Amino acid sequence: MVVCGDDGLAHRLAAELRGVYREQVTLVVPPSGRRVRQPVVGRARAASAALLDMVNAAVNRTGNADPGGNGGNGGAGRELEATEPTEDVLAEAGVERATALALVYDDDETNIRAALTARRLNPRLRLVLRLYNRRLGQHIEELLDQSAALATGGGPGSGSGSTTVLSDADTAAPALAATALVGTSKVVETDGLILRAVERNPPRPGEVADPGLCTLALLSATSNDPAGADGSEGSGEQGPQLLPDAAAVRAATGRGTVVLEQVSYSGPPLPAGRAGVPAFGELFSRRLRWSLAGLAACVVALAVALMVVTGDHPLHATYVTLLDLFSINEPAHNDDVGRQILQLLSGFVGLLLLPVLLAAVLEALGTFRSATALRKPPRGLGGHVVLLGLGKIGTRVLTRLRELDIPVVCVEADPEARGMATARRLRVPVVLGDVTQEGVLEAAKIHRAHSLLALTSVDTTNLEAVLYARSVRSRLRVVLRLYDDDFATAVYRTLRAAHPRALTRSRSVTHLAAPSFAGAMMGRQILGAIPVERRVLLFAAVEVAGHPQLEGKTVGEAFRAGAWRVLALEVCDGERAGGGAPEGARESRLVWELPETYVLRGSDRVVLAATRRGLAELLGRRARQQSPG
């Protein structure tokens, strides 16, 4: 495996491949003087090296083969320093002999240029690219796959290399958005597949908890904060328990759960407050619409009165009233008193009509002029999410929150930030200003907000904003985006201890994104990830063939508590689930609620939930070469 990058994601990905999948990794990074956040890089490399030393020492003591199946070199790696991934650098890294290459530079152009070079050097190479531009990523993926197929003289599945385009922003956005809201579903969506996981509080005495489709996790046994424990891999019994078996679910008392509740989503409903607004309601305010309606009612009343006084036809009476209204009719000095009074009243209503029409014109012009301007937080706004930062991550999180129909107020210091156009398009209120300055968070209505998402690219800015927000509202729910996962853990513990009654979450984008990139390098289709406190639950689509842990076993026998669980069986439209699906099972692209007795066949393709280590054990490239024992 070859990993090329210039930030923490490259080191996190290399550590994931070495420590979890036990792969040989060559890491290509910029020279020491040009690296980003050297302390973070040093800790990631040191942690990975320490793990390798422990494994190699154990192998030398026993004299047995390496658990990775590579004669003692499993999980080993080397590091190259290069300013850019040129052809010579990629050749020195061994791309011509490599199985997979990950290009995770922060610049899309650098990744594309290196991918084109690598595809030419090794048409059978599995490529994983980090691209923020999703539309461009689709075209690049098709181009590289077609190039590989032509170079190897075959099509897909003939041994030609595959290409996977991922975005750390897209991977981390659902987790960050879901973490900001209590009781909000955590959503994984890709290729038309939508999974919704919902946090549920512990059932009250006498209540029976609804397990949904299945129970994905048991939350920490802490009364105030569900994330009361570390939630890291290997944490104690007080931490979250992923993929528990039925006995563990029954034995758990006083612990919340994460259950899979829905598998379909038809899009967010139209907000109730805007459901009855007509099309012209976007141009004219409510007061102006009521004024126009009042004038129309006056015209109707005058026409009816004129029809009664003069006995004219209703259409003629209305016509004469409009002439009087616009002061273009003959004076009624020779008519009776009733006609004269109605003409005077019509002229008075006409005078009232002039300012209303002028206001309508000015308001319409103002609406068109402000269509591209930023909206301000409306008066009385409350229960919203305050989002700090509209960069790559913030923009994706904003889009996700609006898809869930959640009110958002953004705070951004740069008026030319990447996400400003998205905020205008979604008509989201934005406060321009430095969040560390006094009065900026107050302008975002932080004192009435539901939660705060600090997603700027500067850790100290996020931390300062959270501390100030907590001084304004001590029980505010906060989520921090922090670059270093060690720092995120330390901040999380301290804030939890200082504010035990408030909900605190700290997230590292590289920690959330690395499992998906590592799975793609292993050639697996990672559908997404759902955070469970500080741990991650992965969802993957897997071919049963070649996996002794799955093939030939029933769904119940294939389930391993704390490691993996089969959730659904993928079938073609109109096809039965392998001919053995239960009666009454839903026939769709994915068949859920499979019986425990259904036998998985080699031709089946399943969707499963797994922990990182469980997925590595099940899908590891070398794990299948070993005997089941």
Side-chain angles (χ1 to χ4, degrees), residues 44 57 76 170 193 240 383 440 593 598 617:
D170 287 333
L193 171 65
V440 175
E593 299 178 308
Y598 175 72
E617 179 184 352

Side-chain angles (χ1 to χ4, degrees), residues 109-123:
E109 182 180 350
T110 301
N111 293 328
I112 294 174
R113 189 187 310 117
L116 296 174
T117 303
R119 178 58 78 214
R120 179 167 49 83
L121 293 176
N122 186 353

Side-chain angles (χ1 to χ4, degrees), residues 138-162:
Q138 294 176 356
H139 296 308
I140 291 296
E141 186 172 340
E142 295 174 358
L143 174 64
L144 292 174
D145 284 344
Q146 183 178 0
S147 174
L150 293 176
T152 57
S158 63
S160 60
S162 63

Side-chain angles (χ1 to χ4, degrees), residues 342-399:
L342 289 176
Q343 189 176 57
L344 292 175
L345 291 176
S346 299
F348 179 72
V349 173
L351 293 177
L352 296 178
L353 179 62
L354 291 177
V356 173
L357 292 177
L358 179 61
V361 172
L362 295 177
E363 193 166 288
L365 291 176
T367 300
F368 286 118
R369 184 175 300 175
S370 61
T372 57
L374 296 175
R375 300 183 63 196
K376 295 183 179 180
R379 295 180 180 179
L381 179 64
H384 59 287
V385 175
V386 177
L387 174 62
L388 310 183
L390 287 175
K392 292 196 302 183
I393 304 298
T395 303
R396 292 288 193 255
V397 173
L398 172 62
T399 303

Side-chain angles (χ1 to χ4, degrees), residues 277-278 280-294:
V277 178
F280 61 87
E282 299 291 336
L283 295 177
F284 306 122
S285 65
R286 181 183 297 272
R287 291 182 179 181
L288 187 57
R289 293 198 301 270
W290 277 109
S291 300
L292 292 173

Side-chain angles (χ1 to χ4, degrees), residues 15 18 42-56 75:
R18 291 167 177 168
R43 278 196 296 273
R45 186 172 59 252
S48 179
L51 178 61
L52 296 176
D53 292 340
M54 293 173 59
V55 173
N56 292 332

Side-chain angles (χ1 to χ4, degrees), residues 209-292:
D210 181 9
L213 293 176
C214 67
T215 300
L216 297 177
L218 296 174
L219 300 178
S220 300
T222 304
S223 58
N224 291 330
D225 188 347
D230 242 358
S232 58
E233 299 283 355
S235 58
E237 293 182 357
Q238 295 298 315
Q241 183 177 353
L242 301 184
L243 302 176
D245 54 18
V249 174
R250 288 193 300 268
T253 58
R255 299 180 66 172
T257 59
V258 177
V259 300
L260 193 65
E261 191 175 58
Q262 297 183 36
V263 294
S264 62
Y265 183 66
S266 59
L270 186 66
R274 303 187 61 85
V277 178
F280 61 87
E282 299 291 336
L283 295 177
F284 306 122
S285 65
R286 181 183 297 272
R287 291 182 179 181
L288 187 57
R289 293 198 301 270
W290 277 109
S291 300
L292 292 173

Side-chain angles (χ1 to χ4, degrees), residues 576-590:
R576 298 291 297 178
E583 291 296 332
R586 288 178 292 178
E587 296 186 30
S588 61
R589 186 171 179 266
L590 289 172

